[in-house]
Each structure stands twice: as structure tokens, then as C-alpha cells.
Amino acid sequence: MVHSPVLIDDAGAVRRITVNRPDKLNALNAHTIQALTEAFLAADADPAVRVVVLTGAGAKAFVAGADIAEMADLDAMAGRAFGLRGQTLMRTVETLSKPVIARINGFALGGGLELAMACHLRIAAETAKVGQPEINLGLIPGFGGTQRLLRLSSRAAALELCLLGAPITATRALALGLVNEVVPADELDARVDALTAQLANAAPLALRAILECIVHGGESALGEGLQYEAAQFGLMFATADMREGTAAFVGKRKPIFEGR
Ligand code: COA
């Protein structure tokens, strides 16, 4: 059987994408980056998928970074191309029209933290460690880390993590706003399952509009972002889901959203 660097499983409307190189702590080589990009594009295009979970195979790592062995011999142009492929993957994840949850089950270092930061929600096991250790290799983050750390957390955290290169605990990552929740390792699946169940039952078109407002709108000036929000808000009044949600509230029953 051919070894696949990415595993894809569906449970109802939830698609789980697993980086599957546990013997290399799920390091991202070019092949894995390509397979992940294709997996996310396929999840986006599949109407049966309402929420995506991204995780790493094995107990030790989410993703321990870009593949150092593969990068070791690249020249400047190949390095730039590799960085751009990584950035394309992160942007594909970030701009997905469905919520993506990072299930951070262990090390999320370098490209691993960059990948987690591109997701919309991050749930980390207490045992996880995150960081941008590229400086220790004479490198810098190249898959968007300098920019997303700055935006997601703070200038102080971005400078600390990138300049010092030392991994931090999940608890510290929580304090910095880098992850949404930290849970005991043996409760990680239960928590991720609860969140995916909630999101899988939420109104898909409203979820998409929220993602677009926050991801795209958040990159523009406030006035433009507010205009964008107003347009998306108005658009919701054309959906059957909005009629269902408001009718269910008034009728004191649970809504059933169909993505129409
Ligand atoms: N790229 C390529 N291979 C990697 C890797 C990466 N980013 N991270 C881990 N691996 C490989 C190791 O080379 C090793 O392979 P081997 O068994 O063929 O020698 C295997 O994964 C297990 O890693 P190992 O270092 O033995 O595990 P550890 O528990 O001693 O240490 C880490 C775990 C995460 C601290 C350590 O692997 C590490 O520092 N990795 C690199 C992190 C990094 O710098 N990421 C940013 C890259 S730009």
C-alpha cells in the first residue's frame, strides 16, 4: 500500500484531515504541503462537509515544522518557492468557507504553529508545546509566522517567539491568545468532538459569512470592514436558514439549518 502523508476521514458533516508522518513528527515536506492543500480545497468544495478538524498522527506531534532535511540543500530560489507553497497552504486553510479546528495534540513548531494559526479555532492538549524555532537553524518563519503571530497575539509575543526560538507551553500559549483552549490530553477528543458537533449543526451560510467578515474584513480598514459586514448581514436575510433560526426561536424549538 502507498503511504499517504495526509489521511482524510469523515464522520457525518465533520471532515478530519490528519498529517500522517508520525516517524518524522509530521514534518511538512513539499509532498505533504501539496497533499494538505488539495485536501483542504476538496473539503471546501464538498457540500456535505460543514466543519474540518486538522490534527497530527501519533501522540507526540501536531506538526514539528517544515521538513528540515528537505530544506537543507535548497538554494535561494527553491527556498522562496518552498516558502510560497507553504504560504499558499496556510492561506487556503485561513480562507476556507467552513470553520477549521486545529486539534493540537503535541508539538506545533515552526510550520506547525503557522498551520495552527491559519486555522479558525485552536484546542491544545496540556502537553503540547508551540513555538517558532527557525532562528536556531539560521532561518526565519516562512509560512506566514511573523505576520500571523503579530496579528493573532501581539508584537511582543511575535518578537519573543521568533527572536528567542524557545518553545512555550500550551498554558502560556493560552495566556498569549495563541490557542483558544487548553485541555488535559485525555480530554482533547471529547472537547474537539463537542465543538465540531456544535459547528456541524450551525447555519453554514452564516458561518461562512462570519469567516469572510473576520478573515477578509479584518484585513481592511475599519470603514471597509464595516461595509462588508453590513452587506453580509443583509445577505443573511435572503437565506432559508435565517427564517428557520428566527422561527425556531419564536416557536421555542431547536432550529434545523440546511445551508440554504
Ligand atoms: N523536519 C524533519 N524531520 C524532523 C523534524 C522536522 N522539522 N522534526 C522532527 N523530525 C524528525 C527527526 O529528525 C527524527 O527523525 P529520525 O528518527 O529519522 O532521526 C524524528 O522526527 C523524531 O524526532 P526527534 O528529534 O528524535 O524527537 P525528540 O522527541 O527528541 O525531539 C523535537 C522533538 C520536536 C524537539 C525535535 O524533533 C525538534 O526540535 N524538531 C525540529 C523543530 C523545528 O525546528 N521546527 C522548525 C523547522 S523550520
Side-chain angles (χ1 to χ4, degrees), residues 202-257:
L205 298 174
L207 290 176
R208 181 165 79 189
I210 289 167
L211 291 171
E212 287 185 9
C213 284
I214 294 176
V215 174
H216 293 291
E219 291 168 5
S220 51
L222 179 62
E224 280 171 47
L226 289 172
Q227 284 293 327
Y228 193 69
E229 183 190 85
Q232 292 286 334
F233 181 68
L235 201 55
M236 293 302 104
F237 290 78
T239 66
D241 283 348
M242 180 270 182
R243 302 292 161 208
E244 165 67 5
T246 50
F249 179 83
V250 173
K252 299 191 187 306
R253 61 172 175 83
K254 279 198 161 181
I256 298 172
F257 295 117

Side-chain angles (χ1 to χ4, degrees), residues 23-25 27 60 64-69 71 107 109-110 133-134 137:
D23 54 325
K24 297 292 177 191
L25 303 188
K60 214 167 156 182
D67 191 312
I68 298 168
M71 284 192 297
F107 290 112
L109 300 174
E134 291 87 348
L137 303 166

Side-chain angles (χ1 to χ4, degrees), residues 18-103:
T18 305
V19 186
N20 185 37
R21 298 185 73 208
D23 54 325
K24 297 292 177 191
L25 303 188
N26 304 318
L28 301 177
N29 58 11
H31 183 43
T32 306
I33 290 171
Q34 183 61 31
L36 275 172
T37 307
E38 285 166 13
F40 275 96
L41 289 172
D44 211 24
D46 187 339
V49 175
R50 289 195 180 189
V51 51
V52 180
V53 174
L54 173 64
T55 195
K60 214 167 156 182
F62 174 73
V63 166
D67 191 312
I68 298 168
E70 195 177 85
M71 284 192 297
D73 296 325
L74 301 183
D75 64 18
M77 291 315 289
R80 180 174 181 276
F82 184 65
L84 285 173
R85 278 201 291 274
Q87 286 192 358
T88 299
L89 165 61
M90 307 310 161
R91 194 65 178 154
T92 302
V93 174
E94 184 170 61
T95 59
L96 219 73
S97 64
K98 301 155 190 194
V100 183
I101 300 176
R103 174 188 176 275

Side-chain angles (χ1 to χ4, degrees), residues 116-235:
M117 288 193 293
C119 297
H120 305 121
L121 293 168
R122 283 158 292 283
I123 311 301
E126 250 167 15
T127 46
K129 292 233 165 60
V130 314
Q132 297 288 166
E134 291 87 348
I135 186 67
N136 301 321
L137 303 166
L139 266 172
I140 71 167
F143 296 170
T146 60
Q147 300 309 298
R148 288 198 181 86
L149 250 174
L150 185 61
R151 286 163 172 79
L152 193 63
S153 181
S154 64
R155 180 182 156 92
L159 286 166
E160 177 193 321
L161 267 68
C162 297
L163 289 175
L164 302 181
I168 59 171
T169 63
T171 309
R172 175 105 203 282
L174 181 67
L176 293 175
L178 274 179
V179 299
N180 296 90
E181 290 180 35
V182 176
V183 295
D186 61 359
E187 292 173 22
L188 184 61
D189 281 324
R191 185 59 190 138
V192 170
D193 287 351
L195 287 171
T196 54
Q198 180 181 337
L199 290 166
N201 287 315
L205 298 174
L207 290 176
R208 181 165 79 189
I210 289 167
L211 291 171
E212 287 185 9
C213 284
I214 294 176
V215 174
H216 293 291
E219 291 168 5
S220 51
L222 179 62
E224 280 171 47
L226 289 172
Q227 284 293 327
Y228 193 69
E229 183 190 85
Q232 292 286 334
F233 181 68
L235 201 55

